[in-house]
Amino acid sequence: MSQLEHTVAAEQAGLRIDKLLSDIQEDVSRSQAQSWIKDDLVTVNGTKVKNKYTVQEGDVIAWTIPEPEEMKIEAEDIPLEIIYEDADIAVVNKPRGMVVHPSNGHQSGTMVHALLYHLKDLSGINGTMRPGIVHRIDKDTSGLLVVAKHDKAHQKLTDMLKDHDIERKYRAIVHGVIDHEFGTIEAPIGRDPNDRQKMAVVENGKPAVTHFEVLERFEDFTYVECKLETGRTHQIRVHMQYIGYPLAGDPKYGPRRTLDIDGQALHAAVLGFHHPITGEWLHFEAPVPQVFQEELDKLQFNA
């Protein structure tokens, strides 16, 4: 079993304990957090609590994650937007709110469950829990992912990711007004030494590079396009917070609910790469989801 601890920050005060746990540990659903609380696996300041407990600034939350149960992943008839498919790969436009692959907190309803229903074959390099998954994006990040149908394609795509040969561009709404048109953030990312559920810019982290371009400015926000050179966990979210422009709606790295959007305003809009088998250059674009566009429209209307 794994034991974790978190100290409640000022902006997290007032949340229910189950909501907090699901916010700070993205692969855990609120129902899973409630189950842990019911099983006495969660304490606040050393005392067991109920699901309805409202956390206060400075509370020390400690919880024990039970060993994951062996899961048999079955195909589920879940709608999935597959924008490209051939014998070797598929490209999917993942919706907001969908977890990419199963975990102890998400045993159904993931993109993998949907892929098993819609696609005949998936690569097995990443094991039974992550068939076909070459790279991932966070639950509340929407957008484009490439999926491998067999191991040869998977390995080639993995090599391209390592060599930075896959074009990945994201659209994001960030807090604050960025006064320059372009920028590059080169800062290493690793586990936050003060909160193991978060990533941070740390001296001994892995190299990480994000390029950004301003698309539009508003009174208190900026609409940007971010291009990944590397692909660290939460890279855009961490890097934009690091330079003082955290993503709007981000429950982990930004102020709470400043726009009417549940989760970070981040969308994987562009994906380009050479086909792992034929070598043909493929380029895909996906518009931001409706809830993202609605917030963008409001900002443009009030500008």
Side-chain angles (χ1 to χ4, degrees):
M1 292 188 176
S2 300
Q3 293 186 323
L4 301 169
E5 190 173 281
H6 173 80
T7 300
V8 177
E11 62 270 19
Q12 296 170 323
L15 290 176
R16 274 179 47 136
I17 181 79
D18 53 346
K19 178 66 167 64
L20 176 68
L21 286 173
S22 66
D23 281 351
I24 63 179
Q25 193 164 337
E26 289 196 347
D27 60 349
V28 172
S29 66
R30 193 163 178 176
S31 61
Q32 183 64 56
Q34 291 170 353
S35 177
W36 292 348
I37 295 166
K38 183 178 179 181
D39 292 339
D40 295 333
L41 297 175
V42 180
T43 62
V44 177
N45 303 322
T47 303
K48 296 172 185 176
V49 294
K50 303 290 186 181
N51 283 316
K52 63 182 180 180
Y53 177 80
T54 301
V55 301
Q56 305 300 317
E57 181 180 0
D59 277 352
V60 177
I61 316 299
W63 67 101
T64 302
I65 301 176
E67 292 297 331
E69 300 175 3
E70 189 67 28
M71 289 187 289
K72 181 180 179 181
I73 304 175
E74 298 183 355
E76 296 181 21
D77 185 4
I78 303 170
L80 193 64
E81 185 181 1
I82 300 172
I83 64 174
Y84 176 85
E85 182 183 1
D86 60 26
D88 309 298
I89 63 170
V91 175
V92 176
N93 185 18
K94 186 190 83 68
R96 287 174 55 85
M98 176 180 276
V99 175
V100 170
H101 58 78
S103 66
N104 195 43
H106 296 277
Q107 300 185 18
S108 66
T110 73
M111 193 179 86
V112 163
H113 289 90
L115 287 171
L116 290 170
Y117 180 87
H118 292 284
L119 303 182
K120 182 178 179 181
D121 299 303
L122 291 170
S123 65
I125 287 179
N126 274 345
T128 59
M129 300 292 284
R130 304 183 185 186
I133 302 303
V134 178
H135 60 126
R136 52 158 289 177
I137 53 181
D138 299 325
K139 178 182 71 172
D140 290 325
T141 299
S142 55
L144 299 172
L145 291 167
V146 60
V147 175
K149 287 190 166 185
H150 53 77
D151 289 354
K152 182 178 179 181
H154 193 132
Q155 188 59 61
K156 183 65 175 178
L157 288 165
T158 299
D159 291 343
M160 285 191 279
L161 277 171
K162 290 179 180 177
D163 294 336
H164 315 311
D165 289 336
I166 294 183
E167 179 185 32
R168 290 175 290 168
K169 294 181 179 179
Y170 290 69
R171 299 290 174 88
I173 301 173
V174 302
H175 287 277
V177 181
I178 302 175
D179 58 7
H180 42 288
E181 301 300 322
F182 303 92
T184 295
I185 309 163
E186 187 169 0
I189 292 176
R191 286 288 172 189
D192 187 331
N194 299 315
D195 185 344
R196 302 300 293 175
Q197 300 308 304
K198 297 172 65 174
M199 308 301 288
V201 171
V202 292
E203 186 175 352
N204 60 346
K206 294 181 180 179
V209 180
T210 303
H211 307 281
F212 68 87
E213 175 184 356
V214 170
L215 301 177
E216 197 167 356
R217 295 181 180 88
F218 309 106
E219 183 176 354
D220 298 310
F221 297 90
T222 306
Y223 185 36
V224 298
E225 180 175 84
C226 296
K227 182 178 180 180
L228 288 180
E229 188 170 313
T230 55
R232 307 305 175 200
T233 301
H234 300 170
Q235 179 171 315
I236 292 173
R237 299 165 67 185
V238 171
H239 269 173
M240 295 310 294
Q241 180 206 40
Y242 178 67
I243 64 170
Y245 302 99
L247 268 62
D250 193 332
K252 191 180 290 285
Y253 300 101
R256 288 177 56 193
R257 296 298 297 274
T258 52
L259 294 180
D260 190 17
I261 189 169
D262 188 14
Q264 62 274 4
L266 183 63
H267 174 70
V270 175
L271 182 66
F273 56 92
H274 289 282
H275 192 285
I277 304 302
T278 68
E280 175 189 4
W281 176 254
L282 301 175
H283 179 87
F284 305 96
E285 297 188 16
V288 298
Q290 182 177 349
V291 65
F292 190 123
Q293 186 61 54
E294 288 173 354
E295 292 307 306
L296 195 56
D297 291 343
K298 291 177 187 176
L299 291 173
Q300 292 169 335
F301 179 79
N302 294 321

